[in-house]
Amino acid sequence: MLRWLSDDSKRRKEPEVFNNVVEGLKKVYKSKLLPLEETYRFHDFHSPQLDEPDFDAKPMILLIGQYSTGKTTFIRYLLESDFPGIRIGPEPTTDRFIAVMGADQEGIIPGNALVVDPKKQFRPLTKFGNAFLNRFQCSHMRNPVLDSITIVDTPGILSGEKQRVDRGYDFAGVLEWFAERVDRIILLFDAHKLDISDEFRRAIEAIKGHDDKIRIVLNKADMIDHQQLMRVYGALMWSLGKVLNTPEVARVYIGSFWDQPLQFDQNRRLFELEEMDLFRDLQLLPRNAALRKLNDLIKRARLAKVHAYIISHLKKEMPSMFGKDSKKKELINKLPDTFAQLQREHQISPGDFPDCKRMQEQLQHHDFTKFHQLRPKLLETVDQMLAQDIARLMQMIPTEEREMAASPGDADGNIHGGAFEGYTESPFGVGRGEGADAGRGEHEWVVEAKKYEYDDKFSKLNPINGKISGAAAKSEMVKSKLPNTVLSKIWKLADIDKDGMLDTDEWALANHLMQIKLDGHEVPIQLPEHLIPPSKRTIVEES
């Protein structure tokens, strides 16, 4: 008996080995968190049980916005092609949820067939009924962008009299289900349609708690001139401030995400930079997918622990014989006091508790006598999972990211193809031919155009043996009014032979780099090959 106990303790002390982060998440969820969820009916109150496809799924992007704000056009812009079932128009054309996924063949899978596919992550959506499933489909096609991500288009949110018509299913509930599982939520606004309808407000409230995933896009910004854009941006921030209820200012990406000519192109540069920022954010999703799943599992575990405390407390307060119905009503009415009591007893942050009103409504339909008492062993297992297993998985993530980044071709953790390709492979990418990139691919050294000016300054600095000292160079360079940190960086790039002095070509290069910074561009971290003076290229090659 004693030997069995000692063997068991040894087994428990040995940490489990995981091949990768996703496999580890599956194992710790099923063995350590799921028993707690099942014991205290977590799935009835909050979120359905996680299955293997939830962990294996590609990163998902959810698009939400009022009708005719350009959600479907945004998808076509990313893919640079139409997808099966696409409908675009000024009226509410997209009347369904469409999951756009990668596949070898084009086609459409209806909602009822989609939710019984064990390889897809949509099985829990059956709880929303046929009214929703008839408005849900998967459009699959061959596209390099969809090799890395899945994009979910949603019905246009209604305004005015149209929003009074019931959709026949829990629209906000569906959005909440998707919000919990996606990697990015993009809220699209039309520059001409900034009002936030009641249905849109409910949709935004449904995705609260996932603020880290939300990105806001002001679309169709080319339809208005510069002055109007400033006013529209201010009005949008004011409207969002009333709905999001956060002290921080939301980041808004301004642009025009379609393939038509710009109506007002004064803001072209702004649109390009904003688009580059948004695409850079989306580009990281495949590489950060494991980290997002781990983060969501931690949030789920914290909520499951709090839920267990709430349910066990209600069970403990119930009488064993008489007055059960009246006590149940009393406990539901006093649920805010229960939250406060549990917060004090277990040192739980107020942000970890579920929405009180919603839980009061859900508790009406449950028999408190069937709830379980607190089982400390289950909670200890989850605490151990968070402290040890999750910590070990966190340590594995940087290694996986490095391996992914070093992988050849499309396996490098970035999104390839579609609109994402234009920013790496063509001369029309943002920043191409500008700043430090100017002169790339040209036969003549780009600095040569103004070298006569730089040579004139050079001769006035009293060069000795064709070179000027660092002190002489500094006396002239500080006149640019650039910070010393920037000038130091420029000096290190320009002093190619590292002798602490500058010859005429190095001096010209230093002036060119200063002008790049003064024009509003960034000084490169490493000197690009086309900026190296022709007289120094053999030195660089040898080093």
Side-chain angles (χ1 to χ4, degrees):
M1 179 69 178
L2 291 174
R3 190 180 65 189
W4 178 81
L5 285 171
S6 64
D7 289 346
D8 184 56
S9 64
K10 283 179 184 176
R11 275 199 305 272
R12 278 181 292 164
K13 286 179 183 177
E14 291 176 4
E16 195 172 358
V17 178
F18 305 125
N19 293 331
N20 55 59
V21 175
V22 171
E23 183 203 304
L25 289 173
K26 290 180 190 176
K27 286 185 177 178
V28 297
Y29 172 72
K30 286 183 179 177
S31 62
K32 298 182 178 178
L33 182 55
L34 185 57
L36 180 74
E37 292 182 354
E38 290 177 334
T39 302
Y40 296 102
R41 302 188 180 189
F42 179 86
H43 307 138
D44 295 341
F45 287 86
H46 302 290
S47 176
Q49 176 182 335
L50 297 179
D51 296 317
E52 292 217 357
D54 289 308
F55 294 99
D56 295 330
K58 296 173 188 174
M60 285 199 292
I61 299 173
L62 178 67
L63 301 179
I64 302 175
Q66 296 190 118
Y67 71 92
S68 193
T69 52
K71 297 186 298 301
T72 308
T73 307
F74 183 85
I75 298 174
R76 184 167 69 175
Y77 186 79
L78 292 184
L79 303 181
E80 291 189 346
S81 68
D82 290 348
F83 57 85
I86 187 172
R87 291 178 61 207
I88 296 174
E91 74 282 4
T93 47
T94 304
D95 61 346
R96 59 190 60 228
F97 283 80
I98 303 176
V100 187
M101 308 182 79
D104 291 333
Q105 295 180 334
E106 276 196 15
I108 294 175
I109 304 174
N112 282 287
L114 190 58
V115 295
V116 296
D117 186 345
K119 295 180 181 179
K120 298 280 195 302
Q121 66 269 42
F122 304 117
R123 296 182 77 177
L125 288 170
T126 52
K127 70 175 184 178
F128 295 105
N130 274 329
F132 164 70
L133 296 178
N134 291 335
R135 290 282 182 267
F136 180 43
Q137 72 181 46
C138 170
S139 296
H140 54 85
M141 61 182 293
R142 197 167 194 168
N143 188 287
V145 174
L146 299 175
D147 291 341
S148 304
I149 57 173
T150 294
I151 308 173
V152 181
D153 195 7
T154 61
I157 292 174
L158 306 175
S159 59
E161 286 297 320
K162 289 188 287 290
Q163 67 182 306
R164 299 176 191 274
V165 180
D166 185 30
R167 291 183 184 270
Y169 60 89
D170 184 5
F171 180 69
V174 175
L175 289 180
E176 186 177 356
W177 185 92
F178 273 108
E180 191 178 327
R181 286 159 176 78
V182 300
D183 297 71
R184 280 290 175 272
I185 303 168
I186 297 181
L187 288 178
L188 278 105
F189 289 86
D190 186 333
H192 290 101
K193 223 185 306 187
L194 296 179
D195 60 307
I196 297 178
S197 66
D198 292 342
E199 188 175 40
F200 201 3
R201 184 185 296 272
R202 288 193 295 272
I204 294 174
E205 287 173 354
I207 61 175
K208 278 184 180 176
H210 305 282
D211 298 346
D212 56 321
K213 300 179 182 180
I214 297 174
R215 302 292 183 267
I216 297 164
V217 172
L218 178 58
N219 199 16
K220 303 186 182 181
D222 68 309
M223 299 291 188
I224 50 179
D225 61 30
H226 187 73
Q227 184 181 18
Q228 290 173 321
L229 182 59
M230 290 175 63
R231 291 175 178 164
V232 165
Y233 179 81
L236 175 60
M237 299 304 290
W238 180 79
S239 298
L240 287 172
K242 294 198 299 180
V243 178
L244 293 178
N245 293 325
T246 55
E248 299 86 8
V249 176
R251 169 73 160 93
V252 177
Y253 297 91
I254 303 170
S256 185
F257 297 92
W258 67 340
D259 56 5
Q260 299 301 311
L262 301 176
Q263 300 295 315
F264 291 90
D265 66 346
Q266 307 102 306
N267 298 310
R268 184 189 191 100
R269 177 70 179 170
L270 170 67
F271 298 159
E272 289 175 351
L273 293 172
E274 293 284 284
E275 187 174 310
M276 183 179 71
D277 285 350
L278 179 60
F279 280 20
R280 189 180 291 147
D281 179 70
L282 299 179
Q283 188 82 266
L284 295 172
L285 292 182
R287 199 176 297 180
N288 295 337
L291 182 60
R292 194 275 302 169
K293 288 167 184 170
L294 188 143
N295 183 57
D296 284 355
L297 191 69
I298 294 171
K299 288 199 303 189
R300 186 182 180 99
R302 292 167 68 93
L303 179 59
K305 279 181 61 183
V306 173
H307 180 76
Y309 283 127
I310 295 168
I311 296 300
S312 60
H313 177 85
L314 296 175
K315 170 67 174 178
K316 186 178 71 173
E317 295 296 316
M318 285 296 287
S320 56
M321 294 290 289
F322 305 108
K324 293 179 182 178
D325 289 342
S326 59
K327 187 63 177 178
K328 175 182 174 179
K329 290 178 183 176
E330 181 188 335
L331 288 171
I332 291 174
N333 291 332
K334 291 185 176 179
L335 194 61
D337 299 332
T338 301
F339 281 15
Q341 180 184 338
L342 294 173
Q343 184 183 331
R344 290 190 303 270
E345 286 179 4
H346 303 285
Q347 289 81 49
I348 303 170
S349 168
D352 288 347
F353 282 89
D355 181 75
C356 188
K357 286 185 179 178
R358 180 175 173 181
M359 190 147 193
Q360 284 174 319
E361 293 172 5
Q362 291 171 322
L363 286 169
Q364 303 278 359
H365 310 293
H366 286 270
D367 183 354
F368 286 17
T369 59
K370 292 182 180 178
F371 289 164
H372 290 285
Q373 296 280 3
L374 190 64
R375 296 182 184 175
K377 188 70 178 173
L378 289 173
L379 291 166
E380 285 172 18
T381 302
V382 173
D383 286 334
Q384 180 263 334
M385 178 194 84
L386 292 171
Q388 297 177 23
D389 297 317
I390 295 294
R392 284 195 296 119
L393 291 171
M394 281 287 291
Q395 292 172 355
M396 291 171 62
I397 284 178
T399 306
E400 282 196 7
E401 288 181 349
R402 282 194 300 271
E403 290 174 355
M404 191 179 290
S407 300
D410 294 352
D412 60 358
N414 290 324
I415 302 174
H416 293 273
F420 295 95
E421 212 67 56
Y423 286 83
T424 54
E425 303 297 333
S426 85
F428 296 95
V430 176
R432 285 298 178 99
E434 302 173 2
D437 196 69
R440 186 187 297 274
E442 295 180 8
H443 295 294
E444 189 175 339
W445 188 36
V446 68
V447 183
E448 201 70 49
K450 288 192 175 182
K451 193 168 183 298
Y452 68 93
E453 294 180 17
Y454 306 144
D455 288 348
D456 186 46
K457 288 181 184 178
F458 183 80
S459 62
K460 293 176 182 177
L461 293 173
N462 302 319
I464 299 173
N465 297 326
K467 294 192 174 187
I468 57 173
S469 65
K474 178 181 177 181
S475 65
E476 185 66 28
M477 290 171 72
V478 293
K479 293 178 183 177
S480 67
K481 300 182 181 180
L482 290 171
N484 285 342
T485 51
V486 175
L487 293 175
S488 174
K489 184 178 178 181
I490 290 172
W491 170 271
K492 290 173 184 175
L493 290 171
D495 185 15
I496 293 171
D497 51 18
K498 308 301 177 191
D499 62 353
M501 303 171 75
L502 299 181
D503 63 19
T504 178
D505 283 348
E506 290 173 328
W507 170 251
L509 175 60
N511 279 267
H512 181 73
L513 292 172
M514 285 192 294
Q515 192 58 51
I516 285 173
K517 184 64 178 176
L518 291 169
D519 289 342
H521 304 286
E522 290 301 316
V523 176
I525 297 172
Q526 289 184 326
L527 194 65
E529 190 176 331
H530 68 278
L531 288 184
I532 300 171
S535 61
K536 304 289 181 182
R537 285 173 187 170
T538 53
I539 298 173
V540 174
E541 288 171 4
E542 290 171 2
S543 61

